Amino acid sequence: MIVSKSFRWSDPRSITAMAAALVLGLSAQVRGDEGVLDTLQVHGFLSQALIISEDNDFFGPSSEDEGSFKFTEIGANASLRPHQDVLLAAQVLSRRAGGDGDDARPVLDYGVIDYQMLSDQQRTFGIQVGRFKNPFGFYNQTRDVAFTRPSILLPQSIYFDRTRSLGLSGDGVSLYHEERLSNGVLRTQVGVGQAQAGDDLRRTLRLENVPGSLDPKQSAIGQVRYEHDGGRIVAALSAAQAKARFDSNTPQQSDITFRFRPVVLSLQYNEELWSLTGEFAMRPTKLRGVDNPWLNDVTGESWYIQYTRRFLDDWQWLVRYDSLTSNRDDRSGKGLEEFTGGRVPAHSQFADDITVGLQWTPHPRVMLAGEYHHVDGTGWLPVQDNPDPSETSRRWNMLLFQLSLRF
């Protein structure tokens, strides 16, 4: 293999490019090897939602006319084992969530070379190189596959959709370990690399119209997870540090550095027909280069509690309370509202969401879902759909319907 002189092993984007190239290249090389081809797996999924809301918009003009169809997820993934200790895996994702459709272009969701250095009946130890999904909370690694979610929308206080790129995946190296104990399984994963910093982060920082570049910096993430008694009790602790820097091209705006250090505690209890899940997060954020004491160094707080009930083999209902506080020192948001002279309303700094949902799976490859949200606050409303926060309503309702397919 010839490597270009411009390739740098220290650049996580180069590592991702190499991983993707190896996945595709090795897949092509082994087509004549029937033994290896027996390990080839290809899967895909498609989800389309209708969103209807009042007053505020979510993923498109949901408060207008008959709602918004601008929430679409399409993905395809493949995996292959050229050797018993080596797994090549990649997924391409096209996701539209409001906006003008530019976000729907296909992107590499993950692409890794996974090498298991040790694997026996007691433990497994391995390494992944490339673009890996961040082990964050219970749902982050599979959050875009509707069949793995308990609801159409995950709890927005923990799994932000308006700044999802920052916590979704990393380009670099990830180590994982699994220890099989007498009464459970202990899993550990640690990753170091470069976080993603997409247009969603730029919009949230209100920099979409400011000339300059927003670049992610070296970041890290880790999770310890324990599953007891075959998964009856599941507990996890996740911690991360994500950094980004905005280099301004105009004297009116200074350079900005952004650092995010969330810690999430996750607990779940499972019985045959029901599950009780809760997660709690502390979200320290430091922002330098912005003259606003209410944004420079704040700690947010997030938590939810969720009950799901399975019935009639292929039905499930859910009820959840989800709470977001952007700044623990300004829970009501009135301090920021006074500082900005009312341009940023107090209700933009929190959100309390009561959710009721229903899922029906008439076939293993087909799922229909619907859910209702009653929300007090706009703390997780997408900025692109609500560019002027002063025009949003504090209390609002939302209905979502979704059809999901997989193969």
Side-chain angles (χ1 to χ4, degrees), residues 108-167:
L108 180 67
D109 186 36
Y110 64 81
V112 296
I113 304 171
D114 186 321
Y115 173 54
Q116 289 188 355
M117 293 173 276
L118 172 65
S119 182
D120 55 33
Q121 292 183 345
Q122 185 175 355
R123 63 181 58 87
T124 298
F125 181 73
I127 182 172
Q128 293 180 343
V129 179
R131 174 166 294 176
F132 57 89
K133 299 299 285 288
N134 287 327
F136 189 75
F138 280 145
Y139 304 112
N140 193 64
Q141 291 181 306
T142 59
R143 64 187 294 172
D144 295 316
V145 183
F147 288 85
T148 68
R149 300 192 299 250
S151 54
I152 299 174
L153 293 182
L154 287 173
Q156 293 296 292
S157 70
I158 304 285
Y159 304 95
F160 288 107
D161 273 308
R162 77 175 193 173
T163 54
R164 59 180 255 120
S165 65
L166 192 65

Side-chain angles (χ1 to χ4, degrees), residues 304-322:
Y304 74 88
I305 187 166
Q306 167 185 284
Y307 177 82
T308 55
R309 178 80 181 190
R310 296 167 285 280
F311 64 102
L312 297 179
D313 295 332
D314 49 12
W315 288 83
Q316 174 179 288
W317 62 266
L318 166 147
V319 61
R320 180 171 66 220
Y321 185 84
D322 183 28

Side-chain angles (χ1 to χ4, degrees), residues 43-47 145-148 313-315 359-368 403-407:
H43 300 283
F45 57 88
L46 181 151
S47 297
V145 183
F147 288 85
T148 68
D313 295 332
D314 49 12
W315 288 83
Q359 290 183 351
W360 178 40
T361 310
H363 187 276
R365 297 182 179 180
V366 180
M367 184 175 71
L368 296 169
L403 168 64
S404 302
L405 308 172
R406 64 179 173 182
F407 65 86

